[in-house]
Amino acid sequence: MEGVNQTRFVSEFILLGLSPRPEDQKPLFILFLTIYLVTLTGNLLIILAIRSDPHLHTPMYFFLSFLSLTDICFTTTIVPKMLVNFLSEKKTISYAGCLTQMYFLYALGNSDSCLLAVMAFDRYVAICNPFHYVTIMNHHRCALLVTLSCSFPHFHSLLHTLLLNLLTFCDSNVIHHFLCDLSPLLKLSCSSTFVNEIVIVTEGALVLVTPFLCIAFSYIRILVTVLKIPSAAGKRKAFSTCGSHFTVVTLFYGSIFYVYLQPVSTYTVKDHIATIVYTVLSSMLNPFIYSLRNKDLKQGLRKLISRRHI
């Protein structure tokens, strides 16, 4: 029993990171520090522009501001530890720190997913039922949708974290990744991961796929409605309100499905690139995607910047 207790709770894990070569560490540090600063700046500007411009006090931008806030928290869960490890010889993370990082990785990542589904529903109502938009997307319902999107994923994340905490780690504490993700951690366990894998392919897949199906259903209905619009200008206007969101959804879900809709045993180092896309790059690119293709948001950002210069 004493041996089991000692191996059940390892004191720390070693994160191998993106490259084992010492000469790569400083360039990677500079690259990801730049990405992190751009992510923080871009998403903060989006939030401030929406809060300061009354013309942007609509459901679509209300949801976007929470998406930007979630992206800031999501990236902060991952990148600062990466930056520390780039400059450290001993690239370790404590057992508690590893589980905490994994918890917030899934909680905030799935909050992003749910918010994207809510934003797709908002576009569906705006285009397919415009005369009842104000009634359907009232402030109370918008607040409720955001609350559910940001709270429900925490129960999902807690379930996987608690199940992982029951496992035994005895042969190795080296994680072939730059963060504490579920699949690499399960591969380290020397006890049975059958229950964990069953929960991943059932509850995990349900939580991951359900928001995507809601988005797909919304866009199918939007497409059918837009194709019925007689004028080409009307079709372009309708599609333009969805273009940014559709781009973000494609980037986010394309990479996340590549990583998670596969057996744990097939998880390899090649999946690091896809993980970087949905954890780091998508959070950085979202403000650019939304602002570059949105006249109202660009105007709000110009007002915010000009006000700061006065």
Side-chain angles (χ1 to χ4, degrees), residues 87-147:
L87 301 181
S88 302
E89 290 187 12
K90 192 177 181 183
K91 306 176 187 300
T92 59
I93 183 171
S94 67
Y95 179 87
C98 190
L99 263 62
T100 301
Q101 185 186 65
M102 195 197 81
Y103 172 85
F104 284 106
L105 174 72
Y106 283 94
L108 295 169
N110 282 289
S111 293
D112 254 7
S113 178
C114 292
L115 285 170
L116 289 172
V118 167
M119 293 171 75
F121 174 71
D122 172 73
R123 291 300 84 206
Y124 158 71
V125 176
I127 294 173
C128 301
N129 202 355
F131 297 110
H132 295 91
Y133 179 77
V134 176
T135 305
I136 296 173
M137 302 304 294
N138 57 62
H139 181 73
H140 175 74
R141 184 167 282 116
C142 289
L144 180 62
L145 287 170
V146 167
T147 301

Side-chain angles (χ1 to χ4, degrees), residues 241-263:
T241 65
C242 303
S244 299
H245 181 263
F246 185 77
T247 304
V248 170
V249 167
T250 303
L251 182 69
F252 182 80
Y253 277 102
S255 56
I256 207 169
F257 281 157
Y258 178 83
V259 173
Y260 291 109
L261 292 187
Q262 60 177 308

Side-chain angles (χ1 to χ4, degrees), residues 273-300:
I273 297 174
T275 306
I276 289 172
V277 171
Y278 86 84
T279 56
V280 180
L281 291 184
S282 63
S283 297
M284 181 189 72
L285 294 175
N286 285 356
F288 294 99
I289 294 171
Y290 278 106
S291 59
L292 290 175
R293 303 190 62 178
N294 190 303
K295 292 181 180 179
D296 292 334
L297 191 53
K298 281 195 287 188
Q299 186 176 357

Side-chain angles (χ1 to χ4, degrees), residues 193-209:
T193 59
F194 177 76
V195 174
N196 303 72
E197 295 191 41
I198 289 295
V199 173
I200 289 172
V201 299
T202 54
E203 187 271 349
L206 182 67
V207 170
L208 178 62
V209 174

Side-chain angles (χ1 to χ4, degrees), residues 8 11 22 34 46 59 98 107 142 145 152 161 189 200 229 243 272 280 307-308:
R8 189 178 185 82
S11 60
T34 303
I46 293 289
C98 190
C142 289
L145 287 170
F152 173 73
T161 305
S189 175
I200 289 172
I229 299 175
H272 290 182
V280 180
R307 193 178 299 127
R308 291 291 180 270

